[in-house]
Amino acid sequence: MNIAVNYHSGALQKTGWVRVGHNSSFTNQDAAWSFVITPGSGESVAKIDSVRWHFNWNNEAGGSGWQGAFTYIAKIRSGSPTGTVLASVQATLQGKSGNWDVQASNLNLAANTTYYITLNLNGSTLSSLKTFSTTATAEVLSWTSAASKCTAPTKILFNGKHTSAYASPGQGVQFEIVGGGGGKDNAFVRWHIQELVFKPGQGELTGWRNATNANEQENSAVYHQSSRFCTLYPTLIRGRNKRFRIRAEGAAGEQYYSDFAEVAPNVISNSPPNVCTNVTADKNIVAPGSTLRLSFTGGGDPDGNLWMYQVRAEDENGVAFTGKDLGRQYDVTKNYVDIDLGLVPEVFRAGTKWRFKVRGHDGCEACSWSAPSGLVQIAGVVHVYGADGAPSNAMAYVYDQAGAPKLTTPYCYNANGAPKLGI
């Protein structure tokens, strides 16, 4: 808040000094100073409540004047040196020289408006003039703002509930800014978002900076957002994360921006899951529609955010089956996936051979597929016919060395799934 005070009028004793008080005919005019109060940068003023003016006198410097004690009065006026009196302040001044601080409250003054303060003797005492310097100063003691500060946000959320998210380098994540906004007579204009980059175990690496884009370049479209939905980006270096702080900026100017609120969610630059190794099927020959267990080693996730394991099948010629998932393992503490070949019987039919690959997925990205398992053969179906030629589920007839018929299963399987002839 700035206040300019300028000498306006009065009975000059000599350059720089004005005589204040009554002459012998009681016609000596008031000494008058004008003043204008100007808001500082970003200040929005409703009214000025309290002001203090600083005057000094020196009768010897001024030339002449009584040194006795007399009561003087200062009047704050609007419009002109003889205009409406807004406030009056009086004090007894004595001695050859001194200072007079005139302080007035409850003024209800407007900014950028010219007002006046006048000095003269209170009463009708004759020959009580004192010589005041024409140079006066003043300061604003209190004022009422027309605007209030913006309010800072309280948090930012991913998917409405999470304060952090993993993202592949270059892939933005949309967060919602919760809370905060403009103030009284201070319309919200935009958010200002800054980021702090951390690496686990090493703490702050860069200090606060304006939020950057997918290429880690400062970009006003990222750090100055007007919507509550903002897109924030991970670092290009995997495994690092960003913390954010946000303030609300309003129309009333910088003095009325909110403080920065460190909302501390993270956008973590995602590391893909580890590649699975040594994929092994629990059988190398299975009947059509069977369930197959694929075990593996390795896997896991360096970020600890693994979501599931998936399976891909390819035939003996290396052609991949790209249809529906045959099985998923969501319990990532288990290093196996059970798959159901019966989900696609027209593909995994008798007589075909398949290899299987496994990979981890963290919900953000997957790792590379593992090397394939060994071939698994889908076995053929043995049809048994009765004496009348009709197909039957009965056991087939075989003959022993004496020529006597016996019922038996044509094929059975050992523990490794290998067929053998049963008797």
Side-chain angles (χ1 to χ4, degrees):
M1 190 72 63
N2 305 305
I3 181 166
V5 182
N6 293 292
Y7 174 70
H8 182 270
S9 59
L12 287 172
Q13 175 72 29
K14 64 179 184 179
T15 302
W17 297 90
V18 60
R19 298 187 72 187
V20 175
H22 294 309
N23 58 15
S24 59
S25 62
F26 299 100
T27 59
N28 200 44
Q29 63 179 326
D30 293 345
W33 286 258
S34 66
F35 63 93
V36 178
I37 300 171
T38 305
S41 176
E43 292 177 335
S44 179
V45 180
K47 64 177 182 176
I48 294 93
D49 302 302
S50 179
V51 179
R52 181 166 55 209
W53 293 264
H54 307 281
F55 297 97
N56 65 80
W57 78 90
N58 187 324
N59 288 334
E60 292 180 348
S64 65
W66 285 89
Q67 299 175 16
F70 299 95
T71 301
Y72 283 76
I73 187 166
K75 296 180 180 180
I76 295 89
R77 301 174 182 265
S78 63
S80 72
T82 58
T84 302
V85 176
L86 304 177
S88 298
V89 180
Q90 64 183 30
T92 298
L93 307 179
Q94 60 183 342
K96 293 181 179 180
S97 62
N99 300 300
W100 185 18
D101 285 350
V102 177
Q103 182 171 324
S105 302
N106 302 315
L107 291 172
N108 197 23
L109 303 180
N112 301 309
T113 302
T114 300
Y115 295 94
Y116 298 85
I117 183 168
T118 61
L119 304 183
N120 215 321
L121 191 69
N122 184 26
S124 58
T125 304
L126 179 62
S127 301
S128 59
L129 290 80
K130 291 190 181 296
T131 307
F132 282 74
S133 171
T134 56
T135 301
T137 60
E139 60 185 331
V140 175
L141 299 181
S142 64
W143 57 282
T144 302
S145 172
S148 62
K149 290 183 68 171
C150 294
T151 54
T154 55
K155 56 188 171 183
I156 65 175
L157 293 178
F158 169 64
N159 282 344
K161 57 183 178 179
H162 302 296
T163 58
S164 64
Y166 288 89
S168 301
Q171 300 297 311
V173 179
Q174 189 181 74
F175 284 91
E176 180 184 3
I177 299 174
V178 179
K184 174 189 174 185
D185 296 325
N186 183 16
F188 170 79
V189 174
R190 64 189 179 187
W191 307 105
H192 184 186
I193 305 174
Q194 294 185 332
E195 65 186 28
L196 188 62
V197 179
F198 279 76
K199 184 177 182 181
Q202 294 189 21
E204 180 183 334
L205 296 182
T206 64
W208 289 109
R209 66 185 183 190
N210 288 336
T212 58
N213 61 18
N215 296 316
E216 291 201 297
Q217 299 168 333
E218 187 176 291
N219 189 318
S220 61
V222 178
Y223 67 77
H224 277 159
Q225 300 265 357
S226 58
S227 169
R228 285 194 175 274
F229 292 91
C230 57
T231 300
L232 304 174
Y233 295 87
T235 65
L236 295 178
I237 301 175
R238 292 184 183 273
R240 295 189 182 182
N241 64 78
K242 290 182 179 180
R243 179 178 296 171
F244 296 91
R245 67 178 186 178
I246 305 175
R247 74 179 178 194
E249 298 186 351
E254 186 172 355
Q255 181 176 343
Y256 294 90
Y257 294 168
S258 78
D259 297 330
F260 274 106
E262 187 174 339
V263 289
N266 291 322
V267 176
I268 303 164
S269 186
N270 188 65
S271 298
N274 300 321
V275 177
C276 302
T277 55
N278 302 318
V279 178
T280 305
D282 65 343
K283 304 180 185 68
N284 55 30
I285 297 179
V286 295
S290 296
T291 297
L292 190 66
R293 174 166 290 187
L294 302 169
S295 300
F296 57 89
T297 58
D301 186 275
D303 296 321
N305 63 320
L306 188 63
W307 179 30
M308 67 175 177
Y309 290 107
Q310 297 173 291
V311 173
R312 168 179 284 182
E314 63 178 39
D315 66 17
E316 57 188 317
N317 299 313
V319 178
F321 170 67
T322 57
K324 66 179 72 174
D325 283 351
L326 303 175
R328 293 178 175 180
Q329 178 59 276
Y330 289 101
D331 184 348
V332 296
T333 64
K334 298 176 178 178
N335 279 28
Y336 64 83
V337 183
D338 291 330
I339 63 173
D340 185 359
L341 301 177
L343 292 173
V344 196
E346 69 277 11
V347 174
F348 298 95
R349 61 188 184 278
T352 59
K353 297 179 181 180
W354 298 89
R355 296 186 180 92
F356 300 93
K357 300 177 180 179
V358 179
R359 72 176 181 183
H361 201 300
D362 61 11
C364 179
E365 57 188 317
C367 64
S368 301
W369 290 104
S370 69
S373 69
L375 280 171
V376 175
Q377 181 176 345
I378 312 299
V381 179
V382 176
H383 293 285
V384 179
Y385 296 89
D388 58 358
S392 172
N393 291 328
M395 295 296 187
Y397 284 98
V398 295
Y399 298 89
D400 61 17
Q401 293 178 350
K406 296 176 64 177
L407 287 172
T408 185
T409 303
Y411 286 96
C412 58
Y413 299 90
N414 62 17
N416 295 321
K420 65 178 182 179
L421 186 63
I423 298 297

